[in-house]
Amino acid sequence: MMHIPHSRPTLGDPEANRARQTILSGMVAQGPEVEKFETAFARKFQTKHGAAVSSGTAALHLVLLSLGVGSGDEVIIPSYVCAALLHAVHHAGATPVPADIEADSYNLDPTDVRRRITARTKALVVPHLFGRPANLDSLGELGIPIIEDCAQAAGGTLNGRPLGTFGKAAVFSFYATKVMTTGEGGMVISDSPSLIDHIKDLRDYDNRPSYAVRYNYKMTDLEAALGLSQLERLDDFIRCRRTIAEAYDRALASTGLSLPRPHPGHIYFRYVIDLPGAGKIREKMQLEGIACEKPVFRPLHRYLGLSGYPRSDTAWERALSIPIYPALTNPELDYIIEKLKSIYGGSGNDEALS
Ligand SMILES: *Cc1c(COP(=O)(O)O)cnc(C)c1O
Protein backbone atom coordinates (compact mmCIF):
# COMPACT_ATOMS: atom_id res chain seq x y z
CA MET A 1 0.00 0.00 0.00
CA MET A 2 1.21 3.50 -0.78
CA HIS A 3 1.41 6.24 1.84
CA ILE A 4 0.64 9.59 0.31
CA PRO A 5 0.67 12.73 2.49
CA HIS A 6 -1.91 15.45 1.91
CA SER A 7 0.83 17.94 1.12
CA ARG A 8 4.60 18.10 1.00
CA PRO A 9 7.16 20.67 -0.11
CA THR A 10 9.30 20.34 -3.24
CA LEU A 11 12.88 20.86 -2.09
CA GLY A 12 16.15 19.62 -3.53
CA ASP A 13 19.67 20.49 -4.58
CA PRO A 14 18.95 24.10 -5.67
CA GLU A 15 17.66 24.93 -2.18
CA ALA A 16 20.34 22.88 -0.40
CA ASN A 17 23.15 24.50 -2.39
CA ARG A 18 21.92 28.03 -1.85
CA ALA A 19 21.34 27.39 1.87
CA ARG A 20 24.84 25.89 2.12
CA GLN A 21 26.37 29.04 0.61
CA THR A 22 24.45 31.17 3.08
CA ILE A 23 25.57 29.08 6.04
CA LEU A 24 29.19 29.24 4.91
CA SER A 25 28.93 33.01 4.39
CA GLY A 26 28.37 33.38 8.13
CA MET A 27 25.40 35.72 7.54
CA VAL A 28 22.30 33.82 8.54
CA ALA A 29 19.99 36.45 10.05
CA GLN A 30 18.29 39.21 8.01
CA GLY A 31 20.84 40.47 5.50
CA PRO A 32 21.66 40.60 1.79
CA GLU A 33 19.73 37.45 0.82
CA VAL A 34 16.53 38.91 2.30
CA GLU A 35 17.03 42.10 0.31
CA LYS A 36 17.60 40.11 -2.90
CA PHE A 37 14.51 38.02 -2.19
CA GLU A 38 12.36 41.11 -1.63
CA THR A 39 13.52 42.68 -4.89
CA ALA A 40 13.11 39.48 -6.93
CA PHE A 41 9.73 38.70 -5.41
CA ALA A 42 8.29 42.17 -5.99
CA ARG A 43 9.55 42.14 -9.59
CA LYS A 44 8.01 38.71 -10.21
CA PHE A 45 4.64 40.10 -9.12
CA GLN A 46 5.00 43.33 -11.11
CA THR A 47 4.98 45.39 -7.92
CA LYS A 48 7.41 48.11 -6.84
CA HIS A 49 8.34 47.00 -3.31
CA GLY A 50 8.52 43.97 -1.04
CA ALA A 51 9.09 43.48 2.67
CA ALA A 52 9.93 39.98 3.90
CA VAL A 53 8.76 38.92 7.35
CA SER A 54 8.61 35.83 9.53
CA SER A 55 5.16 34.53 8.50
CA GLY A 56 2.01 35.27 6.57
CA THR A 57 0.28 36.15 9.84
CA ALA A 58 3.01 38.68 10.66
CA ALA A 59 2.69 40.11 7.14
CA LEU A 60 -1.04 40.65 7.58
CA HIS A 61 -0.61 42.09 11.09
CA LEU A 62 1.91 44.67 9.87
CA VAL A 63 -0.15 45.62 6.81
CA LEU A 64 -3.15 46.28 9.06
CA LEU A 65 -1.01 48.45 11.37
CA SER A 66 0.46 50.30 8.41
CA LEU A 67 -3.02 51.08 7.09
CA GLY A 68 -3.82 52.60 10.48
CA VAL A 69 -6.18 49.82 11.54
CA GLY A 70 -6.55 49.60 15.30
CA SER A 71 -8.89 49.57 18.26
CA GLY A 72 -12.51 50.39 17.35
CA ASP A 73 -12.01 49.53 13.68
CA GLU A 74 -13.67 46.63 11.90
CA VAL A 75 -11.95 44.40 9.35
CA ILE A 76 -14.05 42.18 7.10
CA ILE A 77 -12.61 38.72 6.45
CA PRO A 78 -14.21 35.53 5.12
CA SER A 79 -15.47 33.02 7.66
CA TYR A 80 -14.28 30.10 5.56
CA VAL A 81 -10.50 30.49 5.91
CA CYS A 82 -7.73 29.57 8.37
CA ALA A 83 -7.59 31.19 11.81
CA ALA A 84 -4.48 33.22 10.87
CA LEU A 85 -6.73 36.03 9.68
CA LEU A 86 -8.55 36.16 12.99
CA HIS A 87 -5.25 36.33 14.86
CA ALA A 88 -3.86 39.10 12.66
CA VAL A 89 -6.95 41.28 13.10
CA HIS A 90 -6.90 40.71 16.86
CA HIS A 91 -3.15 41.39 17.00
CA ALA A 92 -3.92 44.78 15.45
CA GLY A 93 -6.50 45.42 18.18
CA ALA A 94 -9.36 45.60 15.67
CA THR A 95 -12.65 43.69 15.43
CA PRO A 96 -12.90 40.89 12.88
CA VAL A 97 -16.20 40.80 10.96
CA PRO A 98 -16.59 37.51 9.10
CA ALA A 99 -18.52 37.44 5.83
CA ASP A 100 -19.92 34.43 4.00
CA ILE A 101 -18.51 32.89 0.84
CA GLU A 102 -19.88 32.05 -2.61
CA ALA A 103 -21.06 28.47 -2.85
CA ASP A 104 -19.13 27.50 -5.95
CA SER A 105 -15.81 29.34 -5.55
CA TYR A 106 -15.24 29.18 -1.77
CA ASN A 107 -14.25 32.86 -2.00
CA LEU A 108 -15.82 35.98 -0.45
CA ASP A 109 -19.36 36.73 -1.58
CA PRO A 110 -19.46 40.45 -2.53
CA THR A 111 -23.18 40.68 -1.70
CA ASP A 112 -22.64 39.34 1.82
CA VAL A 113 -19.60 41.59 2.32
CA ARG A 114 -21.69 44.62 1.35
CA ARG A 115 -24.26 43.78 4.04
CA ARG A 116 -21.55 43.80 6.71
CA ILE A 117 -19.99 47.17 5.94
CA THR A 118 -20.44 49.79 8.69
CA ALA A 119 -19.02 53.25 9.38
CA ARG A 120 -16.20 51.50 11.26
CA THR A 121 -15.11 49.18 8.44
CA LYS A 122 -11.46 49.99 7.79
CA ALA A 123 -10.27 47.16 5.56
CA LEU A 124 -11.29 44.04 3.66
CA VAL A 125 -8.98 41.02 3.56
CA VAL A 126 -9.47 39.01 0.37
CA PRO A 127 -7.90 35.55 0.24
CA HIS A 128 -7.78 33.62 -3.02
CA LEU A 129 -8.76 30.39 -1.38
CA PHE A 130 -7.25 27.16 -2.66
CA GLY A 131 -5.44 29.18 -5.34
CA ARG A 132 -8.63 30.32 -7.08
CA PRO A 133 -8.86 34.07 -7.80
CA ALA A 134 -11.52 35.87 -5.76
CA ASN A 135 -14.10 38.14 -7.37
CA LEU A 136 -12.01 41.30 -7.09
CA ASP A 137 -13.98 43.06 -9.82
CA SER A 138 -17.06 43.21 -7.57
CA LEU A 139 -15.21 43.42 -4.23
CA GLY A 140 -13.23 46.38 -5.55
CA GLU A 141 -16.44 48.33 -6.14
CA LEU A 142 -17.37 48.30 -2.44
CA GLY A 143 -15.05 51.21 -1.68
CA ILE A 144 -13.20 49.51 1.20
CA PRO A 145 -9.37 49.30 1.14
CA ILE A 146 -8.44 45.78 0.06
CA ILE A 147 -5.59 43.65 1.35
CA GLU A 148 -5.10 40.61 -0.88
CA ASP A 149 -4.20 37.42 0.95
CA CYS A 150 -2.17 35.46 -1.59
CA ALA A 151 -0.97 32.86 0.93
CA GLN A 152 -2.50 30.11 -1.23
CA ALA A 153 -2.30 31.82 -4.59
CA ALA A 154 1.28 32.90 -5.45
CA GLY A 155 1.45 32.98 -9.23
CA GLY A 156 -2.29 33.08 -9.86
CA THR A 157 -3.80 35.67 -12.19
CA LEU A 158 -7.03 37.56 -12.74
CA ASN A 159 -7.85 39.25 -16.04
CA GLY A 160 -4.26 38.52 -17.07
CA ARG A 161 -2.77 40.37 -14.08
CA PRO A 162 -0.86 38.73 -11.19
CA LEU A 163 -2.83 38.27 -7.98
CA GLY A 164 -1.33 40.60 -5.40
CA THR A 165 -1.59 43.70 -7.59
CA PHE A 166 -5.24 44.59 -7.01
CA GLY A 167 -5.31 46.06 -3.49
CA LYS A 168 -3.37 48.46 -1.26
CA ALA A 169 -1.01 45.62 -0.45
CA ALA A 170 -0.81 41.84 -0.68
CA VAL A 171 0.50 39.26 1.76
CA PHE A 172 2.07 35.88 1.05
CA SER A 173 3.01 32.91 3.25
CA PHE A 174 5.99 30.62 2.74
CA TYR A 175 5.02 28.01 5.30
CA ALA A 176 6.32 24.51 4.47
CA THR A 177 3.32 23.33 2.48
CA LYS A 178 2.39 26.55 0.68
CA VAL A 179 2.90 27.11 -3.05
CA MET A 180 6.55 27.94 -2.41
CA THR A 181 8.32 27.71 0.92
CA THR A 182 11.02 29.11 3.14
CA GLY A 183 10.09 26.79 6.02
CA GLU A 184 8.25 29.62 7.76
CA GLY A 185 8.07 33.06 6.23
CA GLY A 186 5.95 35.77 4.70
CA MET A 187 6.05 38.75 2.35
CA VAL A 188 4.21 42.01 1.84
CA ILE A 189 4.21 43.58 -1.60
CA SER A 190 2.89 47.01 -2.44
CA ASP A 191 3.45 49.91 -4.81
CA SER A 192 3.39 52.28 -1.83
CA PRO A 193 6.93 53.06 -0.62
CA SER A 194 5.63 54.57 2.64
CA LEU A 195 3.63 51.43 3.48
CA ILE A 196 6.65 49.20 2.86
CA ASP A 197 8.96 51.52 4.83
CA HIS A 198 6.53 51.42 7.74
CA ILE A 199 6.50 47.60 7.66
CA LYS A 200 10.29 47.44 7.53
CA ASP A 201 10.39 49.76 10.53
CA LEU A 202 7.93 47.67 12.54
CA ARG A 203 9.48 44.25 11.85
CA ASP A 204 12.73 45.08 13.66
CA TYR A 205 13.34 46.82 16.99
CA ASP A 206 17.06 47.53 16.97
CA ASN A 207 18.83 50.87 16.55
CA ARG A 208 15.79 53.10 16.51
CA PRO A 209 16.12 56.76 17.54
CA SER A 210 12.78 56.78 19.33
CA TYR A 211 10.77 54.16 21.12
CA ALA A 212 7.44 52.78 19.88
CA VAL A 213 6.07 49.25 20.12
CA ARG A 214 7.78 47.23 17.42
CA TYR A 215 8.10 43.55 16.60
CA ASN A 216 10.70 40.95 15.83
CA TYR A 217 9.14 39.63 12.63
CA LYS A 218 12.29 39.39 10.55
CA MET A 219 12.99 36.79 7.88
CA THR A 220 16.45 35.21 8.00
CA ASP A 221 18.95 35.01 5.13
CA LEU A 222 18.79 31.25 5.44
CA GLU A 223 15.05 31.38 4.74
CA ALA A 224 15.52 33.93 1.96
CA ALA A 225 18.07 31.61 0.31
CA LEU A 226 15.35 28.96 0.11
CA GLY A 227 12.89 31.57 -1.11
CA LEU A 228 15.15 32.71 -3.95
CA SER A 229 15.53 29.12 -5.19
CA GLN A 230 11.83 28.39 -4.84
CA LEU A 231 10.88 31.59 -6.65
CA GLU A 232 12.88 30.46 -9.68
CA ARG A 233 10.86 27.24 -9.70
CA LEU A 234 7.44 28.82 -9.08
CA ASP A 235 6.31 28.74 -12.73
CA ASP A 236 7.25 25.05 -12.94
CA PHE A 237 5.44 24.33 -9.68
CA ILE A 238 2.26 25.91 -11.03
CA ARG A 239 2.54 24.04 -14.34
CA CYS A 240 2.77 20.78 -12.34
CA ARG A 241 -0.23 21.68 -10.20
CA ARG A 242 -2.34 22.48 -13.26
CA THR A 243 -1.28 19.25 -14.97
CA ILE A 244 -2.35 17.23 -11.93
CA ALA A 245 -5.63 19.15 -11.71
CA GLU A 246 -6.33 18.37 -15.38
CA ALA A 247 -5.63 14.70 -14.73
CA TYR A 248 -8.10 14.72 -11.82
CA ASP A 249 -10.67 16.62 -13.92
CA ARG A 250 -10.42 14.04 -16.72
CA ALA A 251 -10.34 10.96 -14.53
CA LEU A 252 -13.14 12.02 -12.18
CA ALA A 253 -15.51 13.60 -14.70
CA SER A 254 -17.55 10.43 -15.03
CA THR A 255 -17.97 9.85 -11.27
CA GLY A 256 -20.61 12.49 -10.69
CA LEU A 257 -18.40 14.14 -8.07
CA SER A 258 -18.64 17.93 -7.94
CA LEU A 259 -15.16 19.06 -9.07
CA PRO A 260 -13.52 22.51 -8.82
CA ARG A 261 -15.11 25.02 -11.18
CA PRO A 262 -12.45 25.96 -13.76
CA HIS A 263 -10.86 29.42 -13.79
CA PRO A 264 -7.97 30.41 -16.09
CA GLY A 265 -6.00 31.98 -13.22
CA HIS A 266 -6.44 29.09 -10.76
CA ILE A 267 -3.16 27.58 -9.52
CA TYR A 268 -4.73 24.63 -7.66
CA PHE A 269 -3.04 25.03 -4.30
CA ARG A 270 -5.82 22.66 -3.28
CA TYR A 271 -8.00 20.37 -5.37
CA VAL A 272 -11.26 20.50 -3.49
CA ILE A 273 -14.19 18.21 -4.19
CA ASP A 274 -17.66 19.04 -2.91
CA LEU A 275 -19.61 16.02 -1.72
CA PRO A 276 -21.94 14.84 1.00
CA GLY A 277 -20.25 12.51 3.45
CA ALA A 278 -16.80 14.02 2.91
CA GLY A 279 -15.75 12.74 6.33
CA LYS A 280 -16.58 9.14 5.46
CA ILE A 281 -14.67 9.28 2.17
CA ARG A 282 -11.74 10.79 4.02
CA GLU A 283 -11.67 7.87 6.46
CA LYS A 284 -11.86 5.33 3.66
CA MET A 285 -9.07 7.03 1.74
CA GLN A 286 -7.00 7.07 4.92
CA LEU A 287 -7.37 3.27 5.14
CA GLU A 288 -5.87 3.11 1.63
CA GLY A 289 -2.89 5.21 2.76
CA ILE A 290 -4.06 8.47 1.16
CA ALA A 291 -4.30 11.56 3.37
CA CYS A 292 -7.23 13.77 2.38
CA GLU A 293 -8.24 16.74 4.52
CA LYS A 294 -10.98 19.15 5.37
CA PRO A 295 -9.25 22.14 3.73
CA VAL A 296 -10.48 24.58 6.42
CA PHE A 297 -10.34 23.25 9.95
CA ARG A 298 -13.21 25.31 11.35
CA PRO A 299 -15.01 28.37 9.91
CA LEU A 300 -14.18 31.49 11.89
CA HIS A 301 -17.79 32.38 12.76
CA ARG A 302 -17.91 29.16 14.79
CA TYR A 303 -14.90 30.23 16.84
CA LEU A 304 -16.65 33.54 17.45
CA GLY A 305 -20.01 31.96 18.31
CA LEU A 306 -21.77 33.66 15.38
CA SER A 307 -24.44 32.28 13.08
CA GLY A 308 -25.74 33.27 9.65
CA TYR A 309 -23.03 31.75 7.48
CA PRO A 310 -24.86 28.98 5.63
CA ARG A 311 -22.42 28.61 2.74
CA SER A 312 -19.36 28.51 5.01
CA ASP A 313 -21.10 25.82 7.07
CA THR A 314 -21.93 23.80 3.95
CA ALA A 315 -18.36 24.05 2.67
CA TRP A 316 -17.10 22.94 6.06
CA GLU A 317 -19.32 19.85 5.94
CA ARG A 318 -18.76 18.90 2.31
CA ALA A 319 -15.31 20.03 1.14
CA LEU A 320 -12.68 17.34 0.69
CA SER A 321 -9.14 18.23 -0.33
CA ILE A 322 -7.17 15.52 -2.11
CA PRO A 323 -3.36 15.50 -2.53
CA ILE A 324 -2.02 17.92 -5.15
CA TYR A 325 1.58 19.17 -5.21
CA PRO A 326 4.52 19.13 -7.63
CA ALA A 327 6.27 16.32 -5.73
CA LEU A 328 3.31 13.98 -6.34
CA THR A 329 4.50 11.17 -8.63
CA ASN A 330 2.51 9.67 -11.52
CA PRO A 331 2.10 6.29 -9.77
CA GLU A 332 0.79 8.15 -6.70
CA LEU A 333 -1.61 10.14 -8.86
CA ASP A 334 -2.91 6.97 -10.54
CA TYR A 335 -3.29 5.28 -7.17
CA ILE A 336 -5.31 8.20 -5.74
CA ILE A 337 -7.61 8.24 -8.78
CA GLU A 338 -8.10 4.48 -8.65
CA LYS A 339 -8.96 4.47 -4.94
CA LEU A 340 -11.20 7.51 -5.11
CA LYS A 341 -13.12 5.98 -8.01
CA SER A 342 -13.55 2.66 -6.26
CA ILE A 343 -14.67 4.31 -3.02
CA TYR A 344 -16.93 6.82 -4.73
CA GLY A 345 -17.47 5.29 -8.13
CA GLY A 346 -20.49 5.23 -10.39
CA SER A 347 -23.38 3.53 -8.67
CA GLY A 348 -21.47 2.78 -5.48
CA ASN A 349 -22.06 6.31 -4.13
CA ASP A 350 -24.78 5.47 -1.66
CA GLU A 351 -22.82 2.62 -0.23
CA ALA A 352 -19.70 4.77 0.10
CA LEU A 353 -21.64 7.32 2.10
CA SER A 354 -23.51 4.98 4.40
C1 LIG B 1 -1.28 29.93 5.58
C2 LIG B 1 -2.20 31.09 5.44
C3 LIG B 1 -2.03 32.26 6.19
C4 LIG B 1 -1.02 32.38 7.29
O1 LIG B 1 0.31 32.20 6.92
P1 LIG B 1 1.39 31.73 8.02
O2 LIG B 1 2.67 31.86 7.29
O3 LIG B 1 1.07 30.33 8.40
O4 LIG B 1 1.30 32.67 9.17
C5 LIG B 1 -2.89 33.32 5.96
N1 LIG B 1 -3.88 33.23 5.07
C6 LIG B 1 -4.09 32.13 4.33
C7 LIG B 1 -5.20 32.11 3.32
C8 LIG B 1 -3.27 31.01 4.51
O5 LIG B 1 -3.50 29.91 3.78
Side-chain angles (χ1 to χ4, degrees):
M1 189 171 77
M2 288 196 181
H3 287 279
I4 305 174
H6 178 247
S7 29
R8 68 182 172 223
T10 306
L11 295 165
D13 283 336
E15 290 78 13
N17 292 336
R18 189 135 193 167
R20 183 172 192 277
Q21 283 173 25
T22 303
I23 290 166
L24 295 178
S25 80
M27 297 273 294
V28 289
Q30 181 183 287
E33 288 286 277
V34 168
E35 234 180 283
K36 275 184 224 157
F37 185 38
E38 290 169 339
T39 305
F41 197 88
R43 186 178 306 131
K44 174 82 183 166
F45 293 94
Q46 297 171 27
T47 300
K48 292 208 177 96
H49 311 282
V53 291
S54 53
S55 72
T57 309
L60 190 52
H61 178 194
L62 295 190
V63 169
L64 289 168
L65 293 182
S66 297
L67 291 176
V69 173
S71 168
D73 296 329
E74 295 175 357
V75 178
I76 300 180
I77 58 180
S79 175
Y80 191 66
V81 74
C82 68
L85 278 72
L86 207 51
H87 290 298
V89 174
H90 280 144
H91 288 329
T95 304
V97 177
D100 210 358
I101 53 167
E102 299 171 328
D104 56 352
S105 75
Y106 301 108
N107 277 320
L108 273 172
D109 172 13
T111 310
D112 197 70
V113 171
R114 186 189 297 275
R115 285 202 309 122
R116 298 182 194 272
I117 295 172
T118 73
R120 298 177 156 204
T121 307
K122 248 321 200 358
L124 170 63
V125 183
V126 182
H128 304 289
L129 208 66
F130 310 146
R132 185 180 212 289
N135 186 350
L136 283 166
D137 294 328
S138 299
L139 293 167
E141 287 169 3
L142 298 174
I144 308 293
I146 286 178
I147 304 166
E148 281 183 82
D149 180 346
C150 300
Q152 304 192 354
T157 57
L158 179 65
N159 308 329
R161 243 168 79 189
L163 298 179
T165 60
F166 291 84
K168 295 263 178 214
V171 299
F172 294 79
S173 165
F174 309 123
Y175 175 68
T177 55
K178 298 292 164 109
V179 187
M180 53 175 277
T181 184
T182 61
E184 295 273 7
M187 183 77 77
V188 179
I189 59 170
S190 175
D191 280 335
S192 160
S194 59
L195 186 141
I196 293 293
D197 283 348
H198 196 179
I199 286 169
K200 288 184 175 174
D201 177 54
L202 290 174
R203 75 181 170 186
D204 187 2
Y205 57 79
D206 224 358
N207 302 324
R208 296 297 193 273
S210 65
Y211 179 78
V213 174
R214 291 187 174 86
Y215 304 85
N216 185 350
Y217 278 172
K218 298 189 294 296
M219 177 178 277
T220 67
D221 265 21
L222 201 44
E223 291 165 331
L226 299 189
L228 281 159
S229 316
Q230 292 264 295
L231 186 61
E232 286 175 7
R233 302 171 74 183
L234 179 62
D235 293 345
D236 280 341
F237 288 170
I238 291 170
R239 259 193 296 278
C240 282
R241 289 179 172 280
R242 287 181 171 150
T243 303
I244 297 169
E246 279 165 24
Y248 280 142
D249 284 346
R250 259 196 320 274
L252 302 175
S254 61
T255 58
L257 281 164
S258 177
L259 306 177
R261 198 158 59 91
H263 185 293
H266 201 325
I267 62 150
Y268 293 95
F269 172 66
R270 296 279 183 246
Y271 191 93
V272 176
I273 300 171
D274 165 85
L275 77 175
K280 266 274 184 293
I281 302 278
R282 189 178 140 223
E283 281 169 25
K284 293 191 175 193
M285 292 290 276
Q286 191 68 53
L287 292 175
E288 302 289 352
I290 302 163
C292 300
E293 294 289 349
K294 256 182 198 291
V296 169
F297 185 76
R298 205 174 159 82
L300 305 184
H301 72 270
R302 290 180 167 257
Y303 284 127
L304 298 173
L306 303 173
S307 56
Y309 298 83
R311 292 180 300 282
S312 294
D313 282 328
T314 303
W316 187 47
E317 283 155 21
R318 297 174 54 108
L320 183 74
S321 171
I322 65 177
I324 186 166
Y325 39 84
L328 196 71
T329 65
N330 281 328
E332 287 173 332
L333 178 61
D334 292 342
Y335 181 79
I336 294 166
I337 289 168
E338 179 202 319
K339 295 302 173 192
L340 193 55
K341 277 177 131 172
S342 76
I343 289 169
Y344 187 96
S347 56
N349 300 2
D350 293 344
E351 198 188 321
L353 304 178
S354 63

